């Protein structure tokens, strides 16, 4: 899946063979799903080898390079999972509300993803809506990894879990997703930052639910 070996064997200033295109370098997807299951966590998933390699990050990614976030390796997920936002039935595995908290594409920085993961250190550049720039996943022991931001122009000491708490796809809070999809609203709301504005009502228009913010809509 990776072109690391192809690139390593060639000097593209000397050979007329094609190098990796920019588009190819950024073709792999990543997603971070905020998941209010038995405990709130953020599922960090990277496309590799036709699956989503996955870690559960209890506190979520931090753009602060001095903050190391525990990331527990969990089972690979199918690629289609990257688009899942909704409610997993209570009592089922992972029961609770899932939000697409961030997504985009990434580029591996140290060879191909599979071999970097085997070595226990994967450096990646993320191009998401919330997460950007260079990051590293380092294995400490067993399934325990650390997710750390590298120092670059995207490093920041902002608490991004609080400053950017909603879905990048639908702008909804966890409580709103639970409300729309028949989940446990109270439980989901406990994963939203305290004091976050609540949607006041939901209008139905053209068969689709549409969120309206504020006291009164002019329409
Ligand atoms: Mn999860």
């Amino acid at each position: 899946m990776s072109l690391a070996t192809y690139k390593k064997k060639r000097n593209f200033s000397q050979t007329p063979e094609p190098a990796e295109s920019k588009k190819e370098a950024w073709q792999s997807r990543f997603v971070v799903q905020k998941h209010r299951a038995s405990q709130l966590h953020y599922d960090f998933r990277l496309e590799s080898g036709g699956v989503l390699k996955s870690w559960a990050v209890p506190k979520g990614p931090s753009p602060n390079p001095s903050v190391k976030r525990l990331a527990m390796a969990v089972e690979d997920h199918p690629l289609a999972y990257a688009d899942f936002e909704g409610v997993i039935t209570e009592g089922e595995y992972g029961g609770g509300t899932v939000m697409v908290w961030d997504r985009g594409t990434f580029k591996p920085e140290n060879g191909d993803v599979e071999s970097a993961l085997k070595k226990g250190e994967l450096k990646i550049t993320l191009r998401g809506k919330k997460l950007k720039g260079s990051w590293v996943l380092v294995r400490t022991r067993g399934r325990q990894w650390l997710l750390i931001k590298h120092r670059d122009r995207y490093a920041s000491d902002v608490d991004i879990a609080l400053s950017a708490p909603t879905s990048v796809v639908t702008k909804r809070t966890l409580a709103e997703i639970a409300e729309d999809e028949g989940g446990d609203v109270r439980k989901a709301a406990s994963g939203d930052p305290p004091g976050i504005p609540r949607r006041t009502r939901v209008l139905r228009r053209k068969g689709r639910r549409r969120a309206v913010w504020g006291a009164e809509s002019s329409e």
Side-chain angles (χ1 to χ4, degrees):
M1 299 307 288
S2 157
L3 296 172
T5 310
Y6 175 85
K7 288 191 286 184
K8 208 186 230 169
K9 288 182 171 178
R10 290 165 177 82
N11 178 350
F12 295 105
S13 65
Q14 299 299 320
T15 173
E17 294 168 293
E20 185 181 39
S21 71
K22 269 199 179 135
K23 197 179 161 199
E24 280 172 312
W26 288 100
Q27 69 188 344
S28 301
R29 291 189 295 165
F30 85 93
V31 63
V32 183
Q33 281 154 320
K34 187 175 178 179
H35 185 186
R36 180 62 180 89
S38 50
Q39 300 290 332
L40 177 69
H41 61 273
Y42 294 72
D43 290 299
F44 186 81
R45 309 188 197 277
L46 301 172
E47 177 181 359
S48 173
V51 297
L52 293 170
K53 308 305 274 185
S54 299
W55 293 260
V57 185
K59 293 185 175 174
S62 170
N64 185 337
S66 62
V67 174
K68 300 174 169 70
R69 286 285 157 86
L70 175 68
M72 296 297 294
V74 296
E75 75 275 19
D76 296 345
H77 278 54
L79 291 181
Y81 207 90
D83 298 321
F84 177 67
E85 180 173 279
V87 169
I88 303 170
T89 311
E90 294 296 338
E92 295 300 314
Y93 179 70
T97 302
V98 177
M99 169 200 291
V100 178
W101 182 79
D102 196 20
R103 69 177 178 186
T105 55
F106 76 96
K107 192 167 76 170
E109 294 174 17
N110 60 335
D112 72 283
V113 174
E114 297 292 328
S115 53
L117 288 178
K118 264 190 203 120
K119 286 180 198 149
E121 186 180 56
L122 172 64
K123 295 176 182 174
I124 47 176
T125 306
L126 299 180
R127 212 151 65 172
K129 291 234 170 72
K130 298 176 185 177
L131 305 181
K132 296 171 194 290
S134 180
W135 298 70
V136 65
L137 270 162
V138 193
R139 185 166 53 218
T140 51
R141 63 186 162 91
R143 299 179 79 78
Q144 273 187 29
W145 295 66
L146 294 173
L147 176 62
I148 311 164
K149 181 78 190 77
H150 280 143
R151 285 190 194 281
D152 60 19
R153 66 198 177 98
Y154 299 108
S156 137
D157 57 8
V158 167
D159 187 343
I160 197 167
L162 289 180
S163 68
T166 56
S167 167
V168 289
V169 178
T170 62
K171 309 275 188 262
R172 292 180 296 179
T173 61
L174 281 170
E176 289 160 359
I177 295 166
E179 187 180 65
D180 292 348
E181 322 275 346
D184 182 336
V185 176
R186 184 185 286 250
K187 178 185 169 191
S190 71
D192 290 323
I196 192 170
R198 292 293 306 276
R199 189 169 63 187
T200 52
R201 63 205 176 99
V202 175
L203 292 184
R204 275 194 182 277
R205 176 168 302 154
K206 293 173 189 163
R208 281 186 60 202
R209 274 170 176 263
R210 178 169 170 275
V212 174
W213 293 78
E216 203 51 56
S217 165
S218 56
E219 296 167 277

